[in-house]
Amino acid sequence: MSSDSQNSTELLIKKFIILGVIVSIIVIGWGFVQKDNQGKKIALSNKLHSLDVDKLSKLSDGKITGREILDDFKSLVNDSKTPEVALAFALKFNDQLVKKKNYELSAELLSSLEGSVQDVIARQVLLSRLAYSHEETGNFQKATETLNTVLSLKHLVLEDKTYFDLGRLYIRLGNNEKAKSSLNYVIDKSKDTELVKLAKYFLAKI
């Protein structure tokens, strides 16, 4: 792996950490906003906590499969009708799936919440991670569509990183014009010197 590619990977991880902190703050404020749904939200939170303790904790050592946890997760969320409460657990679960390089299950997990997460910052977190998993499964077209959805949202966080990822993906799709446009946007607009350096590196490959 080249030093530039390594830097790109490290940058991605750092950005995810930042987004993870942001979404954690959002989730804290979400749980009990609507009084009429408070009971359902508490119930789902308790069930997800049990799923975390009983099963998710066993995923890392191979005592349980990601598929089994995902099926249980979907069942709990569908029954509760308060899916927004499930975002924090989903991100924690997703991190483990990504660590195991199980990107197909990761994409399935995040896609299951895509239509229910309404907060714009939380949607950026969810969709950015979903795009990453699509990319890792080789579905570059779906990854670009997901990132373009991110760009359609208001109050963007890390907009330059989203354009950078789009530039990389357009190169893989052979769409050099869109790749140049996305990467030049980063070079012109971003204040992140490392990201600008990487954008220039990928632009030179076209």
Side-chain angles (χ1 to χ4, degrees):
M1 179 181 293
S2 70
S3 60
D4 288 300
S5 296
Q6 180 67 39
N7 288 338
S8 180
T9 300
E10 291 176 355
L11 182 65
L12 181 65
I13 293 171
K14 289 178 182 178
K15 300 299 185 182
F16 277 164
I17 291 173
I18 294 171
L19 288 172
V21 171
I22 293 171
V23 81
S24 295
I25 295 172
I26 294 167
V27 169
I28 290 172
W30 262 2
F32 312 103
V33 173
Q34 299 179 21
K35 292 182 178 179
D36 56 336
N37 285 331
Q38 183 173 345
K40 292 180 181 179
K41 290 181 178 181
I42 292 174
L44 178 57
S45 294
N46 289 337
K47 290 176 181 178
L48 289 172
H49 176 71
S50 296
L51 184 60
D52 188 352
V53 172
D54 296 339
K55 295 187 176 181
L56 186 57
S57 59
K58 300 175 182 178
L59 180 62
S60 60
D61 54 18
K63 293 181 179 179
I64 194 170
T65 66
R67 168 53 64 187
E68 182 177 345
I69 298 174
L70 181 55
D71 288 344
D72 287 348
F73 172 80
K74 284 183 174 181
S75 178
L76 290 175
V77 172
N78 290 337
D79 290 343
S80 74
K81 295 182 173 58
T82 56
E84 65 273 18
V85 177
L87 181 59
F89 175 89
L91 293 179
K92 182 178 181 179
F93 181 20
N94 183 70
D95 287 345
Q96 290 208 33
L97 292 174
V98 169
K99 186 176 181 180
K100 286 181 167 292
K101 301 186 184 303
N102 196 338
Y103 300 110
E104 290 185 359
L105 274 189
S106 168
E108 184 178 343
L109 165 66
L110 298 174
S111 294
S112 72
L113 290 178
E114 184 178 353
S116 60
V117 175
Q118 300 303 318
D119 181 273
V120 291
I121 303 298
R123 280 187 63 76
Q124 290 176 56
V125 174
L126 179 72
L127 292 172
S128 294
R129 294 190 180 204
L130 177 57
Y132 174 72
S133 292
H134 281 318
E135 179 180 358
E136 290 300 315
T137 62
N139 195 340
F140 306 133
Q141 183 61 44
K142 192 67 176 177
T144 57
E145 291 172 1
T146 304
L147 288 178
N148 276 308
T149 299
V150 172
L151 291 178
S152 71
L153 301 174
K154 296 179 180 180
H155 310 299
L156 285 183
V157 177
L158 304 177
E159 180 182 30
D160 52 353
K161 178 62 170 59
T162 303
Y163 274 104
F164 171 72
D165 288 334
L166 274 172
R168 292 188 302 99
L169 288 165
Y170 281 131
I171 290 174
R172 288 190 159 191
L173 288 170
N175 193 331
N176 290 341
E177 290 306 310
K178 286 190 175 182
K180 290 178 182 178
S181 176
S182 297
L183 293 171
N184 278 321
Y185 183 93
V186 177
I187 294 168
D188 293 339
K189 302 291 186 179
S190 180
K191 296 180 180 180
D192 186 329
T193 56
E194 185 62 27
L195 194 62
V196 170
K197 177 183 175 182
L198 288 168
K200 289 179 178 179
Y201 167 76
F202 281 97
L203 188 62
K205 297 173 64 176
I206 298 176

